[in-house]
Amino acid sequence: MYLAMKNAEIARIFAEIADMLDFLGDSPFRVRAYRAAARYLTGLDEPIERIAQGGEKALDELPYIGHDLAQKILEYLSTGRVRKHEELKKKVPAGVLQIMRVPGVGPKTAKLLYDELGITTLAELRAALNDGRVLGLPGFGEKKVERLRHSLRLVEAAAKRHPLGEVLWQARELVARLESLPQVEHAALCGSARRYKETVGDLDLLAASRRARAVADAFVRFPEVDEVLLAGAGRATVFLKTGLQVDLKVIEPDSWGSGLQYFTGSKDHSIHLRGLAMDRGLKINEYGVWKGAERIAGASEAEVYGALGLPWIPPPLREDRGEIEAAQEGRLPQLVSLRQVRGDLKVFPKWGDKDSLADLAKAAASRGYGYLAVADRSSLCAAGEAGLQEAKKLVAEIRRLNESNDGKPYLLSGAEVGILPDGRLECPDEILAQLEVVLVSVRSHYDLDRQAQTRRILRALENPYVHVLARPTARKIDERAPIEADWERIFEFAARSGKAVEIDGFYSHIDLPDTLARRAAELGVTLSLSSGAKALDQLRFMELALGTAQRAWLSAKQVLNSRDLRQLRSWLARVRGQ
Ligand code: DGT
Ligand code: CA
Ligand code: CA
């Protein structure tokens, strides 16, 4: 199916051309011709590029493809674009195309909405549905408006991705509830969330049961469920009240492992596996690995991978980024695990007096940590004597607490210090010298050009008191783009000078992102994991940093906080040349 990629790409372009021509009031015959061709290409199994090897004539002989469309197919195959499509896109606002794809809208209605109400985006359509303007249009009754609102919600949900940390813990509650159903033998979170991808489109839950219908029925009645989109024998799709879409698939217990594998994906990883299966004369799907009609594996994931001659591959690696080759060659990384994380290297204690440092120490202890770095962000950097006094106070307070709780867990005094545009730090060296761990980050002037930004960061890392480059890209997911910098040079410098680079797991930024973290490690950088917590219950974001570290192929020895307190302190001293 995936072999005929170009068929789908060209079909989409033809369908868009049809929609835009229709919107612009072009000839109905032409519109119909493009639509028919799009439908034909979608259902065509043979790759169009193979047919095109026979030249224009071979294309021309296909049903629904005339001379004109054959030309356009050839144009796409040789240039990757269709000029007519691009010209039309200049005439039709991009948002209008999206509106046409809302089920129940179509080009005619989109045109009406545009002509009468000037609506050119999904957001404007949402507003007009809510404030009653659409209801006033010819042909729009209460029922139709309600249907549109529903469809729009589907489209909006499909377009929106959620930061993993916003949904992961809710997902686990749903899984626990499924597991507690008497008919359910196992339940698990699959999809991108199981792979610790930083954002997820929807949640994918899998349950093993011999009574699929009863499980789906119980699931759609969970109190979090707002709306049921689909409830069939072995599956259900719902919207939660939070707006999140959740897919549930129920499978026979014998297929548990292959179900897990299939619904965990990623799609690219699974497509690659399917190729390996074919090479061995096997077939793989969500129900098992098959040799003809015989199921040779399926009960566990390890069995499924084993049937393809592979060791089990941890979900965070399953992105088809070389993990299958590594598995074949026996060189999968020994991924760092949550158990190996001995402490949190950055939390912000300024959350008011209700959570005192003592509470923080207690929370850290209950997570099994041996240490925790308390990072001040602001008051220390007040210029002059006041800042110095403040720093000494923090250090003394932390020392007192460490003595009173026998250093279990040990709190490290620290700060995350802003890097000024020229690479100097917001805090003078004499204050930094008071602190046990110093992190630096870009917190202003995000738009410096690549060269200036790189120089700025390198200069900050040259400061002998600095241990860690924190929040390296300064991005916020869906809000602020990463800064531009020469990461190769920065990572090389960090590796050479023995400084660490951070993966801050705070859910709304996850910084470094996985691919950059992987590159850093390849260049020999040690990564420092932190929750970036600003409240006690946010210490759990360490798991997001860890998941990202796993997606970056990191093993324990590449992670600063897999060291115990003694090793960490000697590392901190060594960075400062002590
Ligand atoms: P998301 O939801 O966009 O964050 O990403 P995923 O990976 O959770 O994708 P989703 O929810 O569309 O599908 C869940 C899993 O189901 C996916 O990781 C692999 C599997 N899957 C979905 N569609 C296909 C497909 O066409 N072929 C194969 N082999 N697997 C698929
Ligand atoms: Ca998903
Ligand atoms: Ca899904």
Side-chain angles (χ1 to χ4, degrees), residues 268-270 272-273 276 310 313 320-329 332 553:
D268 289 345
H269 174 89
S270 294
H272 195 154
L273 285 188
L276 293 190
L310 300 174
I313 299 177
D320 199 21
R321 293 178 184 158
E323 73 281 7
I324 292 175
E325 291 82 352
Q328 284 173 319
E329 292 158 20
L332 278 177
W553 292 51

Side-chain angles (χ1 to χ4, degrees), residues 311-429:
W312 181 80
I313 299 177
L317 297 181
R318 300 182 195 170
E319 298 291 347
D320 199 21
R321 293 178 184 158
E323 73 281 7
I324 292 175
E325 291 82 352
Q328 284 173 319
E329 292 158 20
R331 49 175 185 80
L332 278 177
Q334 268 297 327
L335 290 187
V336 59
S337 70
L338 203 51
R339 249 185 322 105
Q340 290 171 314
V341 174
R342 314 292 283 266
D344 193 328
L345 283 169
K346 186 180 79 189
V347 305
F348 300 110
K350 294 280 160 181
W351 49 62
D353 20 20
K354 77 171 169 33
D355 296 334
S356 65
L357 288 180
D359 292 331
L360 192 55
K362 234 183 285 161
S366 75
R367 300 184 70 89
Y369 288 161
Y371 52 85
L372 189 108
V374 172
D376 187 287
R377 267 170 82 102
S378 48
S379 54
L380 293 188
C381 298
E385 196 53 26
L388 191 56
Q389 289 316 319
E390 192 69 22
K392 286 185 170 157
K393 221 173 84 193
L394 177 73
V395 171
E397 197 184 331
I398 286 178
R399 185 173 306 138
R400 243 192 337 272
L401 191 77
N402 283 333
E403 281 162 9
S404 75
N405 72 358
D406 235 0
K408 281 183 189 116
Y410 184 88
L411 299 191
L412 294 143
S413 57
E416 185 182 314
V417 179
I419 307 173
L420 297 168
D422 65 2
R424 284 177 304 133
L425 300 181
E426 275 177 2
C427 224
D429 285 358

Side-chain angles (χ1 to χ4, degrees), residues 247-260:
D247 290 340
L248 169 72
K249 170 85 183 162
V250 191
I251 203 154
E252 291 281 324
D254 291 345
S255 297
W256 174 243
S258 36
L260 270 181

Side-chain angles (χ1 to χ4, degrees), residues 87-144:
E87 280 161 12
L88 284 169
K89 278 176 95 164
K90 285 188 200 127
K91 293 188 202 156
V92 180
V96 168
L97 256 184
Q98 288 179 308
I99 289 172
M100 284 189 246
R101 260 173 257 131
V102 174
V105 177
K108 300 257 173 344
T109 308
K111 185 161 171 52
L112 182 74
L113 292 165
Y114 177 73
D115 290 343
E116 297 295 319
L117 304 172
I119 290 172
T120 58
T121 67
L122 291 176
E124 285 166 11
L125 175 56
R126 148 88 42 219
L129 282 168
N130 289 344
D131 66 18
R133 272 178 295 152
V134 176
L135 190 57
L137 292 178
F140 282 84
E142 296 271 4
K143 263 226 182 82
K144 179 154 182 187

Side-chain angles (χ1 to χ4, degrees), residues 161 191-192 195 199-202 204 262-267 270 274:
R161 298 189 64 82
S192 49
R195 306 195 311 273
T199 62
V200 303
D202 67 2
D204 305 279
Y262 184 92
F263 290 106
T264 297
S266 68
K267 198 169 163 180
S270 294
R274 199 191 304 157

Side-chain angles (χ1 to χ4, degrees), residues 98 122 152-162 200-201 245 478:
Q98 288 179 308
L122 291 176
L152 182 58
R153 188 170 166 186
L154 295 188
V155 171
E156 285 172 338
K160 186 172 159 39
R161 298 189 64 82
H162 305 256
V200 303
Q245 183 181 319
D478 270 352

